[in-house]
Amino acid sequence: MKKIYQLYRFLLRKHGRPKDFWRKWCKRKKTKEDKEEIALGAILTQRTNWKRVELVFENLKRAKILSIKKIYQAGKKDLKLLEKLIRPSGFYRQKAKRIYRFCQFIVENYRNLEKFFSQDLKTCREELLDIPGIGPETADSILLFAGGKPIFVIDEYTRCFVKREKISNQFSYNYLQDLFQKNLPRDAKIYQDFHALIILEGQSIKL
């Protein structure tokens, strides 16, 4: 289906390369700090907006624990502290547990994200989905944007875009992910940009 790739090219011409918030998430070369912030942000942004996540990052920076290792150490000692710092993102008790479990998993099993991401995509995805509170959208966001793995992320903006453009009348996560991946070059950079552009398009016209 050439239409999907043509839509990607159309959005790229319309909006240009992703900017502002998306600049860090979509840039080709990411620092260790970038990758950790993106992975944490993918969990924190569940059921909230990015402005609230930024408030959480400010809290974590002030507390000098904005890293996977330091969040793990802080949560192991006092989960209530994490709850307090994460509060601006909403659902702070649930998210404090999710963030801690994610950091615990990485530190105790791999020590850092780089070693975790050195595995194949299938293994990484299965292990992330085994962490309580991390579903397909969050796992795939971590893999694509922090890990640079070629896996397409599906969210509500994508479903609305698919419906508007009459790409499909099926909207399940797995079906749409497979559809996009089969009809785009297997390139994490394209997947990153296209996902960001779909959200920008949705926000601009209120999909």
Side-chain angles (χ1 to χ4, degrees):
M1 186 188 291
K2 291 182 179 178
K3 182 176 182 179
I4 289 177
Y5 187 66
Q6 289 170 346
L7 284 168
Y8 162 67
R9 300 297 302 175
F10 168 77
L11 292 182
L12 194 57
R13 289 192 300 271
K14 180 177 178 180
H15 296 285
R17 294 289 175 189
K19 303 176 183 67
D20 302 323
F21 155 80
W22 287 108
R23 191 185 301 277
K24 178 183 288 186
W25 282 54
C26 294
K27 71 181 181 181
R28 187 67 88 172
K29 293 183 179 179
K30 297 182 176 77
T31 65
K32 171 182 174 287
E33 290 75 23
D34 289 339
K35 292 175 182 179
E36 292 199 359
E37 188 173 314
I38 289 167
L40 295 170
I43 299 170
L44 290 169
T45 199
Q46 294 172 351
R47 297 158 75 183
T48 193
N49 60 61
W50 190 251
K51 288 184 179 178
R52 290 183 174 274
V53 176
E54 287 180 331
L55 293 175
V56 173
F57 283 148
E58 287 175 14
N59 287 347
L60 293 172
K61 282 177 185 175
R62 276 196 295 268
K64 297 182 179 179
I65 59 169
L66 183 52
S67 77
I68 286 174
K69 183 178 179 180
K70 289 179 180 177
I71 287 173
Y72 164 66
Q73 291 170 340
K76 192 175 183 180
K77 190 180 298 183
D78 183 9
L79 196 61
K80 292 289 183 185
L81 171 62
L82 274 188
E83 289 179 2
K84 181 181 177 182
L85 297 172
I86 288 170
R87 194 180 188 99
S89 69
F91 305 97
Y92 61 94
R93 289 193 179 93
Q94 291 177 2
K95 289 183 181 179
K97 288 177 184 175
R98 289 173 187 176
I99 286 287
Y100 173 70
R101 285 169 180 159
F102 170 74
C103 295
Q104 179 185 36
F105 165 75
I106 295 296
V107 173
E108 292 185 357
N109 292 282
Y110 297 98
R111 295 209 304 272
N112 56 58
L113 272 182
E114 287 301 314
K115 286 193 175 178
F116 171 67
F117 287 139
S118 69
Q119 303 177 106
D120 63 88
L121 171 58
K122 184 174 182 289
T123 300
C124 286
R125 192 173 196 263
E126 287 174 350
E127 291 188 348
L128 285 177
L129 291 174
D130 280 340
I131 301 172
I134 294 185
E137 184 182 334
T138 301
D140 294 344
S141 293
I142 292 169
L143 293 170
L144 175 62
F145 291 102
K149 303 282 190 183
I151 187 163
F152 202 86
V153 180
I154 304 299
D155 61 4
E156 285 309 307
Y157 281 105
T158 310
R159 291 188 177 92
C160 290
F161 182 74
V162 165
K163 187 174 183 180
R164 189 192 80 173
E165 298 297 334
K166 297 182 172 60
I167 296 171
S168 171
N169 57 9
Q170 295 186 52
F171 304 100
S172 73
Y173 193 98
N174 291 340
Y175 177 83
L176 288 182
Q177 185 177 69
D178 188 54
L179 182 66
F180 274 82
Q181 290 179 175
K182 281 181 176 176
N183 291 281
L184 291 168
R186 188 174 170 78
D187 186 326
K189 181 61 178 168
I190 289 176
Y191 291 1
Q192 289 174 2
D193 287 353
F194 200 1
H195 180 75
L197 290 166
I198 287 172
I199 292 177
L200 291 170
E201 175 74 0
Q203 291 172 340
S204 70
I205 63 173
K206 296 182 180 179
L207 278 177

